[in-house]
Amino acid sequence: MTLQTTHPVDTSPIHADERDGDLDPVWRAVVAESRTRANDIHLPISFAFAERLCDAYPDADALLVRVAILLHDTGWARVDERRILDEGFSGDWRRADVRYEHERHGCDIAREVLPPLGYDADFVDRVTAIIDGHDTRPVAHSLEDSLVRDADRLWRFTPAGIALASGWFRLTPAEYCRRLRAEIIPELLTEAAVLMAEAELARSEILLKTEQLA
């Protein structure tokens, strides 16, 4: 069942929020990991969506959500990039071994970078519990887990996400937009994410002229 919210949902075009400077040390700790699989685009955009989701669901532990989404895909940096493209975006891509591998590596990276920055063991365990399975586990285990999963998907609805992912999946932008509407929106776990996705996709389809270039 989709998680409802009684709080306002911001569906305006996504942008950075000045309040996120508190996590600059974490961003700087994973610069190398941001260079694989367009993480330097995917992670900041997903992070911005995660902050909006936290606003819509204020009962969530916002720090946990923000740190988990920041680190969730860093593990791709430790997977061979050719395997990422060959296995992660073709066939039964949702169950590809590389997706499980990147989750395990992401947990390792979280355990490496967070303690030196002052995060305690309990917090690190909570972060890794979300990272481990965010792509492959069939259900979310908490509100925070749900928000991270939705933020991870929401970036796909932006022009940047469509441009990158359509290339990875060897689809045209119009074809990929149809996939987003048919397959990804139904996977979203929160009402706020559905509203954001629908608004973002509508803007992207107009901008990218997917009707004319179908």
Side-chain angles (χ1 to χ4, degrees):
M1 179 179 292
T2 305
L3 295 173
Q4 303 296 302
T5 181
T6 59
H7 297 272
V9 177
D10 186 351
T11 61
S12 65
I14 197 66
H15 58 82
D17 193 319
E18 293 180 357
R19 66 184 165 183
D20 66 10
D22 61 311
L23 295 186
D24 282 355
V26 185
W27 286 108
R28 294 189 179 107
V30 294
V31 169
E33 288 78 11
S34 75
R35 303 308 183 203
T36 301
R37 195 182 171 269
N39 265 340
D40 43 10
I41 297 172
H42 167 52
L43 294 179
I45 295 175
S46 297
F47 183 87
F49 277 116
E51 292 196 316
R52 286 195 178 179
L53 289 172
C54 287
D55 289 340
Y57 297 89
D59 289 340
D61 182 333
L63 180 62
L64 175 59
V65 172
R66 294 166 72 234
V67 172
I69 193 67
L70 193 166
L71 296 174
H72 78 285
D73 266 356
T74 54
W76 285 119
R78 298 184 182 180
V79 179
D80 179 80
E81 197 152 12
R82 182 173 296 278
R83 289 186 61 216
I84 294 173
L85 293 174
D86 289 348
E87 300 174 28
F89 297 99
S90 61
D92 192 4
W93 59 273
R94 294 176 187 271
R95 297 184 180 181
D97 286 344
V98 291
R99 295 195 173 268
Y100 293 91
E101 289 179 33
H102 96 279
E103 291 172 342
R104 292 195 296 271
H105 291 313
C107 291
D108 292 340
I109 291 166
R111 295 187 187 102
E112 292 166 14
V113 304
L114 292 178
L117 296 175
Y119 296 92
D120 63 32
D122 177 68
F123 183 81
V124 175
D125 286 345
R126 294 170 67 204
V127 170
T128 57
I130 292 175
I131 294 174
D132 185 17
H134 72 271
D135 252 0
T136 58
R137 190 169 8 94
V139 296
H141 292 329
S142 65
L143 173 58
E144 291 81 9
D145 193 359
S146 296
L147 299 188
V148 170
R149 285 165 176 257
D150 279 0
D152 184 23
R153 286 162 173 76
L154 280 169
W155 91 289
R156 305 181 194 183
F157 296 85
T158 67
I162 292 166
L164 287 165
S166 61
W168 293 335
F169 283 105
R170 300 179 179 87
L171 298 172
T172 67
E175 290 170 334
Y176 187 69
C177 285
R178 288 195 291 271
R179 173 179 281 190
L180 288 173
R181 197 177 298 282
E183 298 180 17
I184 305 305
I185 289 180
E187 291 183 351
L188 296 172
L189 302 173
T190 65
E191 176 191 19
V194 171
L195 294 173
M196 292 180 198
E198 290 174 342
E200 199 70 44
L201 181 56
R203 286 190 292 266
S204 293
E205 288 176 325
I206 292 170
L207 178 64
L208 298 177
K209 297 190 178 299
T210 56
E211 180 180 350
Q212 295 88 339
L213 295 175

